[in-house]
Amino acid sequence: MIESSSPDGEMLLAGYFVAVPESLNGSGLPRAARLTTASDCLMDRLPEEGRWFGTTLEALEACLPVLVPVGARLYALLVPADHVDGFVADMVASDTYEPVLLAHLDRRADGPVREVAAGGRVLGWEVLGYDIGLLHSWLCNNLYEDGVRQLGVATDDDRGLLPDREAAVRVAAWANARGDTKPVTWFPAALVEWDTSIEGRTGPAATEVPVRRAAEPWRLRIF
């Protein structure tokens, strides 16, 4: 279980993924030099699309047999505890759902609450929704220009992410009140990135990102 040092509250680890940031510059979208998102629509995953992992070791080992671009990195998705229920309900209702995400977030189960691996840094926030087995971003639902105009929010030029939880919560609430988006429950989420390069078929074997023991006091600051 991840807790913020701010009053924003508890953060839950959804899962890990490996992806390659790409530049974004399209109509109705922000300009981002290295777009970073958990959306399956806007960022290429490794070793295959839509793949989530329960641990960092699983993610790194899955990339060993494939060719890995230089820019590939390991990421984690963190969801505020008070926004998890809608996300989980959409996963349960879907005909195709992601077992890793459910295993981490579905509080009806008695499984352990997972802690995020140490050594990562919070990049920023985004707004996501789950539909038919895939995560979608507010950016790929033609909401960006309206959000900038109506809410006054802005994404950073490097990653295309919102600056803080407050902005992401506002966008999520606003998107949920609309009737012209995908039929999903929009929720705010934070992205964590590790700087270590991902090793693939052409490099040495990858090792586990150190995980801080649950007994060791640690707070991840969510800015």
Side-chain angles (χ1 to χ4, degrees):
M1 179 171 59
I2 304 304
E3 294 180 352
S4 165
S5 60
S6 72
D8 289 338
E10 179 186 4
M11 300 290 291
L12 298 179
L13 169 66
Y16 299 94
F17 63 98
V18 177
V20 184
E22 297 182 4
S23 61
L24 179 68
N25 184 14
S27 176
L29 296 170
R31 292 187 178 184
R34 295 179 295 164
L35 176 71
T36 308
T37 174
S39 169
D40 295 289
C41 305
L42 297 176
M43 194 170 171
D44 289 336
R45 300 279 188 90
L46 294 171
E48 59 191 48
E49 294 299 320
R51 187 75 181 272
W52 286 93
F53 300 95
T55 68
T56 58
L57 183 58
E58 292 174 3
L60 297 175
E61 287 185 338
C63 293
L64 289 176
V66 301
L67 292 174
V68 177
V70 173
R73 292 293 184 271
L74 173 68
Y75 298 95
L77 181 70
L78 303 180
V79 182
D82 54 350
H83 288 270
V84 163
D85 288 348
F87 182 18
V88 169
D90 284 357
M91 281 192 282
V92 172
S94 178
D95 291 334
T96 56
Y97 63 87
E98 174 50 61
V100 169
L101 300 179
L102 273 179
H104 283 198
L105 298 177
D106 190 355
R107 296 297 91 211
R108 300 171 305 170
D110 295 328
V113 177
R114 312 297 178 90
E115 293 212 5
V116 70
R121 62 190 180 98
V122 179
L123 295 177
W125 288 75
E126 64 175 338
V127 175
L128 301 165
Y130 189 89
D131 180 42
I132 315 179
L134 298 174
L135 274 174
H136 300 284
S137 165
W138 72 295
L139 296 180
C140 59
N141 272 258
N142 299 318
L143 294 174
Y144 172 73
E145 288 185 328
D146 285 350
V148 171
R149 183 174 62 255
Q150 297 178 24
L151 302 178
V153 297
T155 57
D156 66 271
D157 294 336
D158 186 26
R159 304 286 188 157
L161 294 172
L162 294 163
D164 50 40
R165 172 176 171 147
E166 179 184 1
V169 168
R170 289 178 61 210
V171 170
W174 167 79
N176 283 324
R178 296 172 62 114
D180 59 349
T181 73
K182 288 184 178 294
V184 302
T185 302
W186 296 101
F187 62 91
L191 284 175
V192 178
E193 181 187 67
W194 283 262
D195 288 333
T196 305
S197 299
I198 304 298
E199 302 294 350
R201 196 164 68 201
T202 59
T207 58
E208 167 72 295
V209 175
V211 179
R212 203 175 289 262
R213 295 182 181 275
E216 186 175 358
W218 180 60
R219 295 292 182 268
L220 176 65
R221 179 172 176 79
I222 307 298
F223 53 85

